Amino acid sequence: INSTGSRIYFYPEWVLVRQQQPKLSTQQTFQIEDIAFKGSHSELILVRDNMRLRAYSYYPEVHKKSDLVSVEISRYIVEKHED
């Protein structure tokens, strides 16, 4: 996502989380900071540098704290700034 001069918005359900794959760029790698069970799913807090993302996992047994995961944003909304 190129966000130069724009703001990007997305919902946690638009964040696809996979176990880290060596072939993927490190730009896609986040660490799981926390996991909260929400009944039908778990909410993952993902961190990388100064960025934090929320994502949902419907397979809570797959992820654990401190795991490195690959992240893909499947959809997003762009808010362009006008000068």
Side-chain angles (χ1 to χ4, degrees), residues 3-74:
S3 64
T4 304
S6 303
R7 289 186 183 182
I8 304 296
Y9 300 94
F10 51 87
Y11 295 101
E13 54 269 25
W14 294 352
V15 180
L16 305 175
V17 178
R18 298 186 181 97
Q19 292 302 101
Q20 185 183 18
Q21 300 172 10
K23 294 185 259 181
L24 294 177
S25 164
T26 56
Q27 293 179 341
Q28 299 169 320
T29 302
F30 284 76
Q31 184 173 28
I32 298 176
E33 180 181 70
D34 200 11
I35 301 173
F37 183 67
K38 300 290 186 178
S40 64
H41 65 280
S42 292
E43 182 178 271
L44 308 176
I45 304 299
L46 310 173
V47 294
R48 178 196 155 95
D49 300 328
N50 63 348
M51 189 181 330
R52 295 169 59 91
L53 302 178
R54 286 185 319 136
Y56 295 155
S57 173
Y58 296 93
Y59 306 98
E61 65 280 355
V62 173
H63 306 292
K64 59 186 181 299
K65 276 186 175 181
S66 300
D67 277 357
L68 293 177
V69 293
S70 298
V71 170
E72 179 183 336
I73 310 299
S74 63

